[in-house]
Amino acid sequence: MKRLAIAILLAALTGPAYASGSHAGGHDEKLAVGEPGDKAKATQTIRVTMKETEDGRMLFQPAVIKVRKGQTVKIALRNAGQTDHEFVLDREDKILEHKAVMAKFPEMEHADANSIRLAAGESGEIVWKFTNDGEFKFACLIPGHYEAGMHGDVSVAAN
């Protein structure tokens, strides 16, 4: 309940920073990177592992995803690490905005279709339709994880 109250308060106080959506109620407008997809229409499954390394790095494997405009994919995520990790998909500027907010509210939980948070050992998925071509990002925005290397690139090619 406390987390929900914080998310609602944060959304109310930072309206313009959340043009791409609020954590309490999903996205108010379509994201540049696309929209939630229909699992039955997924043409590809991309398996992504989240983990830490012995030298303190945190990473996604693979760190680059390539898809086609209009394609619906299932991103199957597995946290093989020892700590919580998340996967947030968006434009780079929105990722960096969101990262700044997460630094202030590290316990914030996401309720958006373009993100998922997984505890150590958990698996989950995001089904996504890439409606626009271009270059996008995915990242773990738990404080310190992005800086430790936990981010990657999504390249969406025009048909």
Side-chain angles (χ1 to χ4, degrees):
M1 187 67 166
K2 183 178 178 182
R3 290 180 184 161
L4 179 59
I6 290 172
I8 291 170
L9 177 62
L10 182 61
L13 293 175
T14 60
Y18 283 97
S20 66
S22 69
H23 291 85
H27 293 286
D28 301 315
E29 62 182 56
K30 192 180 273 191
L31 294 172
V33 70
E35 61 192 34
D38 178 350
K39 191 173 183 176
K41 294 181 180 177
T43 59
Q44 180 180 5
T45 297
I46 299 170
R47 299 188 188 289
V48 178
T49 301
M50 304 181 281
K51 67 179 189 175
E52 311 88 45
T53 62
E54 288 184 19
D55 64 358
R57 297 204 62 220
M58 295 183 178
L59 50 91
F60 290 102
Q61 290 181 316
V64 176
I65 295 174
K66 295 181 180 185
V67 296
R68 293 179 318 279
K69 179 181 175 182
Q71 184 177 12
T72 299
V73 300
K74 179 174 88 170
I75 303 170
L77 297 142
R78 181 173 63 92
N79 183 349
Q82 302 298 311
T83 187
D84 286 8
H85 291 297
E86 63 182 19
F87 179 96
V88 179
L89 175 67
D90 212 334
R91 288 189 341 225
E92 184 171 19
D93 62 329
K94 295 298 180 186
I95 290 281
L96 295 176
E97 272 181 26
H98 192 154
K99 180 178 164 295
V101 173
M102 286 292 293
K104 294 177 184 175
F105 301 96
E107 296 302 317
M108 182 182 295
E109 292 187 15
H110 304 95
D112 296 321
N114 67 320
S115 64
I116 189 170
R117 186 172 184 148
L118 298 171
E122 286 188 338
S123 294
E125 66 184 33
I126 291 175
V127 178
W128 200 256
K129 181 176 182 180
F130 292 90
T131 57
N132 297 307
D133 61 321
E135 301 300 316
F136 303 97
K137 297 290 277 184
F138 58 91
C140 180
L141 302 178
I142 296 172
H145 293 208
Y146 186 98
E147 293 80 4
M150 204 158 196
H151 49 88
D153 299 310
V154 179
S155 181
V156 182
N159 296 330

